[in-house]
Amino acid sequence: MDLRLYDTLSREKRVFTPLDPNNVRMYVCGPTVYDFAHIGNARPVIVFDVLYRLLRHLYGADHVKYVRNITDVDDKINARAAERNIPIRDLTEETYRNFKEDVAALGCLAPDVEPRATEHIAEMKTLIERLVASGHAYVAEEHVLFSVPSMPDYGQLSKRPLDEMIAGARVDVAPYKRHDQDFVLWKPSKESEPGWPSPCGIATPGRPGWHIECSAMSWKHLGETFDIHGGGIDLVFPHHENEIAQSRCAFHAGVMANYWLHNGFLQVEGEKMSKSLGNFVTIRDVLKDWPGEVARFNMLRTHYRQPIDWTVKGLEESWKTLDEFYAAAGDVADKGVSGEVLWALTDDLNTPQMIAELHRLRAEVHSGAAGAPEALAGSLRFLGFLRETTAQWAGRRQAASNIDVSKVEGLIQERTAARKAKNWTESDRIRDALAAMGVVLKDSKDGTTWEIAR
RNA sequence: GGCCACGUGGCGGAGUGGUGACGCAGCGGACUGCAAAUCCGCGUACCCCGGUUCAAUUCCGGGCGUGGCCUCCA
């Protein structure tokens, strides 16, 4: 079964061929840890978790290495720590712990390595020294800058040819830059800012620029060239473009990663998410009102490259669908992922197609097909769902609805008595009363069951 | 202004040069005391205008709309 992935660099879907099938390597840009991650940040985390699971299935769990970095040095972090009057390290550690809890609740496996920028300063400095030595970077006023004109084919990922960028430049340019598009690899730190001994004979302590950390960490943990590099589409320029420039020039390599994958943007209720619009949603906010599996499913209903509109209506629909999957396969023993689900995923992670296959399996369960519940359960668990028992799952609805269980069961007993006496008026009155409370009844030969209206 | 995406039925959302994925909602039927659940059936959708073609929602050009990026910000 060929896996095909859309590569941003070549702008086409290509069959995935790893450099080494025994060591498939993927790097994904992780969070800058200064505050709770928002729901837009959750998208790449979930999408690349699905890809990670798929790669582990195709190549074997021991033959895949997934690296997602933690950016714990950044001016936003410095500012926030100062604002809260706490040490930087406390802020980054606290934020990282929260992030880990959030993504675990979303059903994501932990990456194999979660490297921190501050633990890779030495590698960054090595890269910077190399770039300066080979003429791809220069020192100016205690900064080290990457020289964009030193790389003739700069701009291929974002399709921004150098000459057009010069024409379009309209921003104040720092006077020490030789060229408008040159970007910072290292910058001096004030005494109040975190700093490390600088490279290239610069006396003042300094700190790394935004892009160099990913070049350093992917190098350290995956090598000079690796298979997949992922992240949000907003990172294509300048972040990934500049990573490519740094890594390729430092290693004199034609490529940094063979496949560049980017997830599309997220909107909230049809609007751009922003603090000023008051629709800024953190993962934590979502998890307060919705099970993590619902959020995860909701994210996968849209193909990862499409823009997604995050809505309450969509979440409600997702919850309902998962209810049905739990009802059909909740406590069933696993029998592995179904071939159809895999087939859908190997076509550039076509998760909507995959969900259609899940619905097909569910229909097979209802029509009594042998092995269907196991196939559905196996597929859902493969994808990070069905992590609870059916009872636990049903309890989430009850917990979210403040229903008085003993009162409900008392009314059901009264109704059962009325039905036995064929007092349909009374029995329907009780059922209507329960419906008004949000409780739906199901009568069967074995008695009456109930659940929360959905 | 430049570059890059996206625009599919009431809603969500795949996909394809020629028989209307899938889900939600809705409608009809079976079942049921009546319902719910389940099962069966029901939809003449591809932003607009040109072009290519025997045939375009799908390819090409233009337009309109929405979004992203273009800044050591988020």
Side-chain angles (χ1 to χ4, degrees), chain A residues 26 28-31 37-55 66 68 99-111 230-232 261-264 266 282-284 286-287 290-305 308 310 315 318 322 345 349 351 354-355 382-385 387:
Chain A
M26 172 163 78
V28 174
C29 289
H38 60 68
I39 193 65
N41 301 134
R43 194 174 192 194
V45 173
I46 293 170
V47 163
F48 290 105
D49 177 67
V50 171
L51 179 56
Y52 180 45
R53 288 166 184 264
L54 179 62
L55 291 170
Y66 173 24
R68 186 180 61 211
F99 177 76
K100 259 179 38 174
E101 286 173 19
D102 287 349
V103 301
L106 293 172
C108 298
L109 303 172
L261 271 58
H262 293 99
N263 61 273
L266 177 143
T282 64
I283 300 175
R284 201 55 60 115
V286 170
L287 293 173
W290 310 88
E293 290 191 26
V294 168
R296 181 180 178 87
F297 189 84
N298 197 243
M299 200 65 90
L300 297 176
R301 291 207 309 166
T302 303
H303 181 83
Y304 77 93
R305 283 193 279 118
I308 189 172
W310 189 262
L315 284 162
S318 294
L322 282 175
L345 290 176
L349 300 183
T351 52
M354 165 203 95
I355 289 169
F382 169 78
L383 294 162
F385 298 104
R387 288 181 284 132

Side-chain angles (χ1 to χ4, degrees), chain A residues 373-442:
Chain A
E374 291 79 7
L376 180 58
S379 298
L380 286 164
R381 293 210 182 94
F382 169 78
L383 294 162
F385 298 104
L386 253 51
R387 288 181 284 132
E388 302 179 359
T389 64
T390 305
Q392 286 171 326
W393 183 258
R396 287 181 171 277
R397 285 259 185 216
Q398 279 180 30
S401 64
N402 297 318
I403 294 268
D404 181 342
V405 173
S406 61
K407 187 177 171 192
V408 168
E409 284 170 355
L411 283 168
I412 289 174
Q413 276 180 16
E414 284 178 37
R415 176 169 170 275
T416 303
R419 290 185 71 219
K420 210 165 260 173
K422 298 201 191 268
N423 184 350
W424 308 127
T425 314
E426 174 64 2
S427 127
D428 290 353
R429 188 195 63 76
I430 296 171
R431 186 172 62 199
D432 290 346
L434 284 164
M437 291 163 58
V439 172
V440 179
L441 301 184
K442 295 182 189 178

Side-chain angles (χ1 to χ4, degrees), chain A residues 22 73 78 154 182 189 202 224 226 233 245 255 275 450 452:
Chain A
N22 291 314
V73 51
N78 304 341
Y154 178 87
D182 292 353
S189 294
I202 297 169
E224 295 182 359
F226 50 96
I233 197 164
V255 294
K275 282 177 180 157
W450 65 281
I452 309 298

Side-chain angles (χ1 to χ4, degrees), chain A residues 182-289:
Chain A
D182 292 353
F183 57 89
V184 170
L185 300 173
W186 190 267
K187 55 190 167 186
S189 294
K190 296 187 194 103
E191 278 189 28
S192 59
E193 295 168 332
W196 290 263
S198 292
C200 309
I202 297 169
T204 309
R207 61 195 193 283
W210 176 25
H211 317 294
I212 193 68
E213 59 183 73
C214 286
S215 288
M217 288 186 273
S218 61
W219 173 40
K220 168 83 178 287
H221 297 284
L222 297 176
E224 295 182 359
T225 301
F226 50 96
D227 296 299
I228 297 170
H229 193 129
I233 197 164
D234 53 321
L235 296 179
V236 169
F237 189 89
H239 185 53
H240 288 167
E241 196 73 81
N242 291 348
E243 278 184 47
I244 290 174
Q246 295 159 350
S247 291
R248 282 187 48 203
C249 290
F251 305 130
H252 307 290
V255 294
M256 179 183 186
N258 279 324
Y259 299 83
W260 289 84
L261 271 58
H262 293 99
N263 61 273
F265 234 69
L266 177 143
Q267 286 186 272
V268 171
E269 303 290 351
E271 285 184 313
K272 178 177 173 173
M273 179 167 69
S274 73
K275 282 177 180 157
S276 60
L277 284 170
N279 63 351
F280 195 85
V281 185
T282 64
I283 300 175
R284 201 55 60 115
D285 293 333
V286 170
L287 293 173
K288 222 165 33 193
D289 297 330

Side-chain angles (χ1 to χ4, degrees), chain A residues 138 141 143 145 171-180 182 184:
Chain A
Y138 58 93
E141 295 184 23
H143 292 69
L145 292 125
V171 178
D172 290 344
V173 175
Y176 46 80
K177 282 190 183 181
R178 286 185 196 162
H179 181 96
D180 296 352
D182 292 353
V184 170

